Short mmCIF file of all heavy atoms in Angstrom, two decimals:
data_model
loop_
_atom_site.label_atom_id
_atom_site.label_comp_id
_atom_site.label_asym_id
_atom_site.label_seq_id
_atom_site.Cartn_x
_atom_site.Cartn_y
_atom_site.Cartn_z
N LEU A 322 -4.22 -3.41 5.42
CA LEU A 322 -4.32 -2.17 4.63
C LEU A 322 -2.94 -1.50 4.50
O LEU A 322 -2.59 -1.01 3.43
CB LEU A 322 -5.33 -1.20 5.26
CG LEU A 322 -6.80 -1.62 5.08
CD1 LEU A 322 -7.71 -0.78 5.98
CD2 LEU A 322 -7.25 -1.49 3.62
N SER A 323 -2.16 -1.54 5.57
CA SER A 323 -0.81 -0.93 5.49
C SER A 323 0.06 -1.70 4.50
O SER A 323 0.86 -1.12 3.77
CB SER A 323 -0.15 -0.87 6.87
OG SER A 323 0.26 -2.16 7.29
N GLN A 324 -0.12 -3.01 4.47
CA GLN A 324 0.62 -3.83 3.50
C GLN A 324 0.15 -3.53 2.08
O GLN A 324 0.95 -3.45 1.14
CB GLN A 324 0.41 -5.31 3.82
CG GLN A 324 1.23 -5.81 4.98
CD GLN A 324 2.71 -5.90 4.63
OE1 GLN A 324 3.07 -6.49 3.61
NE2 GLN A 324 3.56 -5.31 5.44
N GLY A 325 -1.17 -3.39 1.93
CA GLY A 325 -1.72 -3.06 0.61
C GLY A 325 -1.20 -1.73 0.10
O GLY A 325 -0.87 -1.58 -1.08
N ILE A 326 -1.09 -0.76 1.02
CA ILE A 326 -0.58 0.57 0.63
C ILE A 326 0.87 0.44 0.16
O ILE A 326 1.27 1.00 -0.87
CB ILE A 326 -0.70 1.54 1.83
CG1 ILE A 326 -2.18 1.88 2.05
CG2 ILE A 326 0.13 2.80 1.61
CD1 ILE A 326 -2.50 2.51 3.38
N GLN A 327 1.65 -0.35 0.88
CA GLN A 327 3.06 -0.54 0.48
C GLN A 327 3.15 -1.29 -0.85
O GLN A 327 3.95 -0.94 -1.71
CB GLN A 327 3.81 -1.27 1.57
CG GLN A 327 4.11 -0.38 2.76
CD GLN A 327 4.76 -1.16 3.88
OE1 GLN A 327 4.12 -1.93 4.58
NE2 GLN A 327 6.05 -0.97 4.04
N ALA A 328 2.30 -2.31 -1.00
CA ALA A 328 2.32 -3.08 -2.25
C ALA A 328 1.91 -2.22 -3.44
O ALA A 328 2.31 -2.48 -4.58
CB ALA A 328 1.40 -4.30 -2.13
N ALA A 329 1.09 -1.18 -3.16
CA ALA A 329 0.65 -0.28 -4.23
C ALA A 329 1.69 0.81 -4.49
O ALA A 329 1.44 1.74 -5.26
CB ALA A 329 -0.69 0.34 -3.86
N GLY A 330 2.83 0.75 -3.82
CA GLY A 330 3.90 1.72 -4.06
C GLY A 330 3.94 2.86 -3.06
O GLY A 330 4.67 3.83 -3.24
N GLY A 331 3.08 2.76 -2.01
CA GLY A 331 3.09 3.81 -0.98
C GLY A 331 2.31 5.04 -1.43
O GLY A 331 1.77 5.09 -2.53
N ALA A 332 2.25 6.04 -0.54
CA ALA A 332 1.51 7.27 -0.85
C ALA A 332 2.12 8.42 -0.09
O ALA A 332 2.74 8.23 0.96
CB ALA A 332 0.04 7.11 -0.45
N ASP A 333 1.95 9.64 -0.63
CA ASP A 333 2.36 10.83 0.12
C ASP A 333 1.38 11.09 1.24
O ASP A 333 1.74 11.42 2.36
CB ASP A 333 2.41 12.06 -0.81
CG ASP A 333 3.38 11.85 -1.94
OD1 ASP A 333 4.56 11.61 -1.66
OD2 ASP A 333 2.94 11.88 -3.12
N LEU A 334 0.09 10.91 0.90
CA LEU A 334 -0.96 11.20 1.88
C LEU A 334 -1.99 10.07 1.84
O LEU A 334 -2.42 9.65 0.75
CB LEU A 334 -1.64 12.53 1.52
CG LEU A 334 -2.82 12.96 2.38
CD1 LEU A 334 -2.39 13.21 3.82
CD2 LEU A 334 -3.47 14.23 1.80
#
Side-chain angles (χ1 to χ4, degrees):
L322 287 168
S323 73
Q324 283 289 309
I326 289 164
Q327 285 175 286
D333 300 302
L334 176 64

